[in-house]
Amino acid sequence: MSSDTIRDSAAASSSDTYSLIGRGLRIGSAVLASALVVGLSACGDSDEAALEGSQNQSSQEQSAVASTAAIRDNLAQLAADTAALKKASQTLIAKELVSEETRKIAQQAEPIFAEEEAQLVKTLGVDVDPSETKLDTATMTRLENEEGPHADMAYLTLMEGSLDKMLGQWEELEKHGGNDLQELARSSQQQLEDIQQALEKRMQY
């Protein structure tokens, strides 16, 4: 029950009490006594309603704290994944034996991931550790250690699954966040979708 409802309930009970008391003064002391009993009973009900409302508010506050913590955890995970993808893109760009098309995707992706990471770090207020990523570590290891077509395929495989996962996380966060988070989610989704479109085009070859 909201505080406004509680106040309205208390005001209504008080008004009823005064009305009954005034009527009692006009019709006799016996009825007045009865009216006071009714009024006190109404006040008692109002006190119980106030207590219930306070308990509900406390429960809502606890739920909000838990929700905020969950959002922060999800943002931290997104930041770690983004940092890992930025590092993977940088690794691929630095390799000599990769296809030009794959290198172009990496060159398009790296600054976007860097911007995403910077925005997430600003939102969280802390730096992120790419080693905490939950992305496909086996594919990332292949990307680190191989060149040629194997490096191409490792990077494309990593990007394909990771982008789907990240877009899903952003959409989920946007449902529960405030205006600032929603704006960050919208801009991030657009950038990540641009990468995804480039990736899908590359996978057609």
Side-chain angles (χ1 to χ4, degrees):
M1 182 180 295
S2 69
S3 58
D4 289 339
T5 304
I6 294 168
R7 285 197 299 271
D8 292 342
S9 175
S13 299
S14 178
S15 176
D16 290 344
T17 302
Y18 290 141
S19 176
L20 287 169
I21 291 174
R23 193 183 310 158
L25 287 173
R26 288 193 299 273
I27 63 177
S29 60
V31 178
L32 172 60
S34 176
L36 286 172
V37 169
V38 172
L40 289 172
S41 175
C43 289
D45 290 342
S46 180
D47 289 341
E48 290 178 5
L51 177 60
E52 180 183 350
S54 176
Q55 291 172 341
N56 288 341
Q57 184 175 0
S58 175
S59 175
Q60 290 172 356
E61 289 172 354
Q62 291 174 354
S63 177
V65 169
S67 177
T68 300
I71 288 175
R72 186 176 179 81
D73 287 345
N74 284 333
L75 282 174
Q77 184 59 60
L78 270 172
D81 291 347
T82 302
L85 287 172
K86 180 191 73 173
K87 185 172 181 289
S89 299
Q90 292 171 336
T91 296
L92 188 76
I93 292 168
K95 290 181 181 291
E96 293 182 2
L97 300 178
V98 292
S99 71
E100 188 60 30
E101 287 294 329
T102 301
R103 190 187 303 278
K104 284 180 180 178
I105 293 176
Q107 289 172 334
Q108 177 188 6
E110 190 277 333
I112 291 177
F113 287 134
E115 182 180 347
E116 296 299 291
E117 181 188 11
Q119 287 182 310
L120 286 162
V121 167
K122 183 178 179 180
T123 301
L124 289 164
V126 295
D127 290 334
V128 296
D129 184 356
S131 68
E132 295 179 357
T133 182
K134 290 185 178 179
L135 301 182
D136 183 353
T137 53
T139 302
M140 295 181 75
T141 300
R142 283 178 54 205
L143 183 63
E144 290 281 346
N145 297 330
E146 297 181 359
E147 292 190 355
H150 294 295
D152 284 356
M153 188 53 61
Y155 183 71
L156 294 173
T157 300
L158 179 67
M159 289 282 283
E160 187 176 28
S162 300
L163 284 169
D164 284 340
K165 177 182 175 182
M166 293 180 74
L167 286 168
Q169 285 181 284
W170 273 121
E171 288 170 358
E172 187 64 26
L173 282 169
E174 188 175 5
K175 293 177 184 176
H176 304 294
N179 291 335
D180 291 343
L181 180 57
Q182 289 177 357
E183 182 56 38
L184 175 59
R186 278 192 291 271
S187 62
S188 299
Q189 283 181 35
Q190 183 58 57
Q191 290 179 315
L192 296 176
E193 284 168 3
D194 289 344
I195 295 177
Q196 193 169 46
Q197 289 173 4
L199 177 62
E200 288 170 354
K201 182 178 179 181
R202 173 68 184 89
M203 295 293 282
Q204 293 173 1
Y205 293 106

